[in-house]
Amino acid sequence: MGLLCSRHKRGNQATAEENARAADIERRIEQETKAEQHIQKLLLLGAGESGKSTIFNQIKLLFQTGFDERELQSYTSVIHANVYQTIKILHDGAKELDLSEEGSSKYGLSVDNKEIGEKLSEIGGRLDYPRLTAKLVQDILKIWKDPAIQETYARGNELQVPDCADYFMENLQRLSDTNYIPSKEDVLHARVRTTGVVEIQFS
């Protein structure tokens, strides 16, 4: 008889603990639901190069603390890669247009720039890009100013030339400085392929 009572008492205690835990969970769920009512969620979807990452970076600058020096420095290689990739797209695009438009020589690089163009195109096709130097900037500027490249750039939308091209070409000397740290504006112009889901919280 005493054994039956003690079991019954333990069973009541376990049920009371479970009920208290369930009530606590319900209370927490209710609190979180109330807190989440004030949160607006925004999902950005779009094709590559449509500006999703740029919006994230702008949110970070406007509503958070912005970028610290370490984060800014991490963009140096991205920006240098953007420069090489742009020159490769323009060089290869000029060659294609020169072949496809017979009788027109406006897409043919000048004799002096053909070798430089091939070298820069080869660099732009690599997975690891060298840091910009004064000598490389000199070569890039020569190619950039070539009339054939400018003609090709005018048709950049057909070749998917990044919209940061003009900005980075105008700032090449600064980008190649040995102590170069990207500015906030440089970061906003940088193009990097985003993979996976990126989440940011701001007030």
Side-chain angles (χ1 to χ4, degrees), residues 89-203:
I89 292 167
L90 289 170
H91 173 267
D92 296 354
K95 280 173 78 172
E96 278 179 42
L97 291 168
D98 193 37
L99 287 171
S100 65
E101 299 202 5
E102 288 180 41
S104 172
S105 60
K106 65 180 180 178
Y107 297 108
L109 283 170
S110 67
V111 178
D112 296 343
N113 290 339
K114 279 188 177 176
E115 194 178 324
I116 296 170
E118 290 296 334
K119 179 183 84 173
L120 292 173
S121 178
E122 186 270 320
I123 292 172
R126 293 183 198 167
L127 293 174
D128 59 321
Y129 304 98
R131 193 177 170 90
L132 283 172
T133 62
K135 173 70 179 100
L136 283 165
V137 163
Q138 209 176 7
D139 287 346
I140 291 165
L141 284 172
K142 272 178 103 174
I143 289 293
W144 174 247
K145 290 174 183 172
D146 190 292
I149 293 298
Q150 286 302 306
E151 285 286 347
T152 307
Y153 182 60
R155 293 176 63 174
N157 59 331
E158 298 170 45
L159 302 167
Q160 293 185 321
V161 175
D163 58 1
C164 60
D166 210 33
Y167 175 81
F168 287 143
M169 293 304 161
E170 283 175 12
N171 290 281
L172 273 177
Q173 301 293 350
R174 182 173 59 83
L175 303 183
S176 65
D177 191 89
T178 48
N179 300 315
Y180 168 65
I181 295 172
S183 67
K184 291 171 186 175
E185 197 173 351
D186 294 345
V187 169
L188 289 176
H189 278 89
R191 293 290 165 262
V192 60
R193 185 185 291 269
T194 308
T195 55
V197 176
V198 181
E199 187 178 309
I200 190 167
Q201 295 183 7
F202 63 95
S203 301

Side-chain angles (χ1 to χ4, degrees), residues 16-157:
E17 285 173 17
E18 284 172 13
N19 288 342
R21 257 196 311 249
D24 185 46
I25 290 168
E26 287 291 331
R27 191 169 52 256
R28 275 191 280 165
I29 289 171
E30 196 175 320
Q31 285 171 347
E32 285 173 21
T33 305
K34 279 182 184 173
E36 292 235 345
Q37 284 175 345
H38 303 291
I39 295 172
Q40 302 297 319
K41 293 183 181 179
L42 178 68
L43 176 66
L44 298 176
L45 298 173
E49 295 289 318
S50 62
K52 300 178 300 295
S53 297
T54 304
I55 290 172
F56 265 72
N57 287 338
Q58 287 172 333
I59 288 169
K60 193 165 185 172
L61 288 170
L62 291 170
F63 300 107
Q64 292 188 319
T65 56
F67 299 98
D68 60 32
E69 192 170 322
R70 187 182 51 77
E71 285 176 301
L72 289 171
Q73 282 178 330
S74 73
Y75 271 88
T76 303
S77 57
V78 171
I79 290 164
H80 289 186
N82 285 173
V83 171
Y84 290 120
Q85 290 160 353
T86 298
I87 289 297
K88 178 175 175 54
I89 292 167
L90 289 170
H91 173 267
D92 296 354
K95 280 173 78 172
E96 278 179 42
L97 291 168
D98 193 37
L99 287 171
S100 65
E101 299 202 5
E102 288 180 41
S104 172
S105 60
K106 65 180 180 178
Y107 297 108
L109 283 170
S110 67
V111 178
D112 296 343
N113 290 339
K114 279 188 177 176
E115 194 178 324
I116 296 170
E118 290 296 334
K119 179 183 84 173
L120 292 173
S121 178
E122 186 270 320
I123 292 172
R126 293 183 198 167
L127 293 174
D128 59 321
Y129 304 98
R131 193 177 170 90
L132 283 172
T133 62
K135 173 70 179 100
L136 283 165
V137 163
Q138 209 176 7
D139 287 346
I140 291 165
L141 284 172
K142 272 178 103 174
I143 289 293
W144 174 247
K145 290 174 183 172
D146 190 292
I149 293 298
Q150 286 302 306
E151 285 286 347
T152 307
Y153 182 60
R155 293 176 63 174
N157 59 331

